[in-house]
Amino acid sequence: MNSQQLPIQQTAGNIALVVGATGIAGSNLAIKLLENGWTVFGLSRNPKNDIEGLQPIAADLLNSESLVSALSEIAPTHVFFTTWMRNDTEEENIRVNSAMIRNLLDALSPKKSIKHVSLVTGLKHYLGPFDAYANSGTLPETPLREEQPRLNLPNFYYAQEDEVYKAAARDGFTWNIHRPHTLIGKTIGNAMNMGTTLAVYASICKHEGTPFIWPGSDAQWNGISDVTDAKILADQIIWSAINPEAHNQAFNITNGDVFRWKWLWPKIAEWFQIEYEGYNGTIKPLEIVLNQKQAVWKEIKEQHQLIEGDLSQLASAWHTDLDLGRPLEVMTDMSGSRKLGFAGYKDTKDSFFELFAQLRNDQIIP
């Protein structure tokens, strides 16, 4: 099931609304849906027209009138919610991100067209909000399992889920929640983009002749980890949406393999033909490094005729630092979907290398 097409007869007549179609998860999902015969609308604040066949919709999820107007001629059978908005506090995250889902499903409710809603969240369901587990000193038990209860902490993922559950009870649709680990895939201007962030960092190291220095913790360097290829996430989302036995469940989703960063980091350095340094007792936040490299990236952009000279549009070092700086190893159990027949798998090394090759081919990195 590695990026293969699903039977067309299972998807004919389905109308998808992909919310967040410009992000890593949404864009890869939209492409996969189109390949499998769906009619696909992509909703975002600033739509792009770079996916052939995708019908873009511009709307503000925090503006109910904007949504009603933008969706007036659209009656989706399936809604795929793949976006979120970062705020300064978790309380504000809860208020804003729950409102986005509530406003969308309220706008669509009178149409009575929705059969299924899929929501993409993540492993903060188990770990808590950004940095919460590090500050509290309470670390969750791994591997992270789908049946683990909610934490007694404010978490906007829980608020998002609750909006889906309430609307499902009101309107009679089925649902799935998908919890990927760090997403690896191509997009520009995304708030959580480790693959491209590391590619940009490695390109700067090569340009300056400096080593590719591990920015994170001892636990992450030596511990077991996993990640989620955006294409594997798309496979699971579609699989669960069209298989009734998978409905009304939450699923973890990763590539299906595990690795240690002390194994993968040298391989990434080798791909870029640069030297590397591993963990040596100190966390070295990547955000501090890249915040000083805008002028360098502009020089690289001009030298290699790249398409994006704004480093902040490519790298999300703050998020990479949070992932790689965790004080524990993080791995994910996928028993829920595996027991029901989902067999998607991706070699993690291939996820990174295929992304790097695509970024180079698209003139995003040299």
Side-chain angles (χ1 to χ4, degrees), residues 5 11 19 25 78 123 262 271 341:
Q5 290 190 348
T11 59
V19 184
H78 294 70
L123 296 194
K262 69 179 181 181
W271 195 94

Coordinates of all heavy atoms in Angstrom, one line a residue, residues 5 11 19 25 78 123 262 271 341:
Q5 N -2.6 3.5 -5.7 CA -3.9 4.1 -5.9 C -4.9 3.1 -5.3 O -4.8 1.9 -5.3 CB -4.2 4.3 -7.3 CG -3.4 5.5 -7.9 CD -3.9 5.8 -9.3 OE1 -4.6 5.1 -9.9 NE2 -3.4 7.0 -9.8
T11 N -14.3 5.4 -4.7 CA -14.2 6.8 -4.5 C -15.1 7.6 -5.5 O -15.2 8.8 -5.3 CB -12.8 7.3 -4.6 OG1 -12.2 7.0 -5.9 CG2 -11.9 6.6 -3.5
V19 N -9.0 21.0 4.0 CA -8.8 22.3 4.7 C -7.4 22.4 5.1 O -6.9 21.5 5.8 CB -9.7 22.4 5.9 CG1 -9.6 23.7 6.6 CG2 -11.2 22.1 5.6
A25 N 0.6 18.2 5.0 CA -0.4 17.1 5.0 C -1.5 17.4 4.0 O -1.9 16.4 3.2 CB -1.1 17.1 6.4
H78 N -16.9 14.6 2.1 CA -15.8 14.3 3.0 C -15.1 15.6 3.3 O -14.7 16.3 2.4 CB -14.9 13.2 2.5 CG -15.5 11.9 2.3 ND1 -16.4 11.6 1.3 CD2 -15.3 10.7 3.0 CE1 -16.8 10.3 1.4 NE2 -16.1 9.8 2.4
L123 N 1.2 13.8 17.9 CA 1.6 13.1 19.1 C 1.5 14.0 20.3 O 1.7 13.5 21.4 CB 3.0 12.6 18.9 CG 3.2 11.5 17.8 CD1 4.5 10.8 18.0 CD2 2.0 10.5 17.8
K262 N 21.3 9.1 15.8 CA 22.8 8.9 15.7 C 23.1 8.0 14.5 O 24.3 8.1 14.0 CB 23.4 8.3 17.0 CG 23.0 6.9 17.3 CD 23.7 6.4 18.6 CE 23.3 5.0 18.9 NZ 24.0 4.6 20.2
W271 N 24.6 12.5 2.4 CA 23.8 12.9 1.2 C 24.3 14.3 0.7 O 24.4 14.5 -0.5 CB 22.3 12.9 1.5 CG 21.5 12.9 0.3 CD1 20.9 11.8 -0.3 CD2 21.0 14.0 -0.4 NE1 20.2 12.2 -1.4 CE2 20.2 13.6 -1.5 CE3 21.2 15.4 -0.2 CZ2 19.6 14.4 -2.4 CZ3 20.6 16.3 -1.2 CH2 19.8 15.8 -2.2
G341 N -6.0 -3.8 8.7 CA -5.6 -4.0 7.4 C -4.8 -3.0 6.7 O -4.3 -3.1 5.6

